[in-house]
Amino acid sequence: MNINKDPELKTFFQELRKQDEQLIIPPFPEVEKKSRSIWWIPAGIAATLLLGAFFLPLEKSAEPTAPEVLIITLEEGPNQELQFHIQETNEMDIWESPTASLLTEY
């Protein structure tokens, strides 16, 4: 439907336009811009990384030492007493298997 062909519609919309021209529109209040910069998050991450790199000890490139071996043996002493013998060493060459005594005694 065309407005130009219907005079009633044309007058109706002209009246609406006149009413709209008389309306007083209040000014929209401006919003104050708050400083919402979150610059402190990247700065905190950078500071943490710097402090971590500064305070963490660096690994030394020394030769790895052989782990200390603790050998505990149970031996029968005089009067059929059981005695523990504890030896510390860096080598496993003196270790004897728990079943080795079966080969020698039986």
Side-chain angles (χ1 to χ4, degrees):
M1 184 178 249
N2 194 347
I3 296 178
N4 295 331
K5 292 183 180 178
D6 192 1
E8 289 181 20
L9 273 177
K10 190 173 185 178
T11 56
F12 174 75
F13 282 113
Q14 284 178 350
E15 289 176 15
L16 280 178
R17 285 186 191 124
K18 287 179 186 176
Q19 289 176 1
D20 283 346
E21 289 174 357
Q22 295 174 1
L23 285 177
I24 299 174
I25 301 172
F28 188 76
E30 287 189 32
V31 179
E32 293 180 19
K33 263 191 171 178
K34 294 182 181 177
S35 176
R36 294 189 179 202
S37 62
I38 50 174
W39 58 269
W40 54 271
I41 291 176
I45 292 171
T48 303
L49 290 174
L50 279 173
L51 287 174
F54 182 71
F55 285 114
L56 287 179
L58 298 175
E59 290 185 26
K60 296 179 182 176
S61 61
E63 287 185 23
T65 59
E68 198 168 293
V69 178
L70 187 64
I71 300 174
I72 302 173
T73 57
L74 183 63
E75 295 180 3
E76 190 173 329
N79 300 327
Q80 295 183 343
E81 302 175 348
L82 295 178
Q83 295 178 349
F84 285 103
H85 290 283
I86 301 173
Q87 297 174 341
E88 286 186 34
T89 183
N90 288 341
E91 300 175 4
M92 289 291 292
D93 60 351
I94 62 169
W95 179 78
E96 185 178 323
S97 133
T99 58
S101 63
L102 294 175
L103 295 173
T104 59
E105 291 179 9
Y106 298 104

